[in-house]
């Protein structure tokens, strides 16, 4: 196994762990933060694969803007789960 394959597997494992944690989370803020971690891991994968333009877009939109909108919406609506 080469170093590139090992890096891909580690990032993939991190992404799968984030997805499972998001699905099991009952706290909306925690799920939003985990989504941000997922997006940043995907950004690392895009950079590693040689697509820095896609990685920058993923970081800006996926980890930045989307999570900011999620958190703003949660703050406006409330985070009580009943």
């Amino acid at each position: 196994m080469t170093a590139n394959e090992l890096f891909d597997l580690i990032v993939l494992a991190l992404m799968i762990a984030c997805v499972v944690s998001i699905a099991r989370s009952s706290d909306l803020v925690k799920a939003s933060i985990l989504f941000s971690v997922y997006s940043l891991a995907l950004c690392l994968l895009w950079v590693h694969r040689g697509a820095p333009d896609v990685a920058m877009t993923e970081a800006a939109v996926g980890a930045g803007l989307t999570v900011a909108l999620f958190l703003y919406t949660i703050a406006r609506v409330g985070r009580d789960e009943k």
Side-chain angles (χ1 to χ4, degrees), residues 27-81:
D27 184 15
L28 297 175
V29 174
K30 180 181 175 183
S32 297
I33 300 301
L34 286 169
F35 180 75
S36 176
V37 173
Y38 171 83
S39 292
L40 290 173
L42 186 59
C43 177
L44 285 174
L45 193 61
W46 284 124
V47 168
H48 185 255
R49 288 292 177 187
D53 52 340
V54 178
M56 288 175 56
T57 303
E58 178 66 32
V61 175
L65 184 62
T66 304
V67 173
L69 288 173
F70 283 165
L71 293 175
Y72 175 74
T73 303
I74 292 167
R76 294 276 303 188
V77 173
R79 58 188 284 191
D80 293 333
E81 296 281 326

Side-chain angles (χ1 to χ4, degrees), residues 11-23 34:
V11 172
L12 181 63
L14 174 64
M15 290 172 64
I16 291 172
C18 284
V19 168
V20 170
S21 297
I22 290 168
L34 286 169

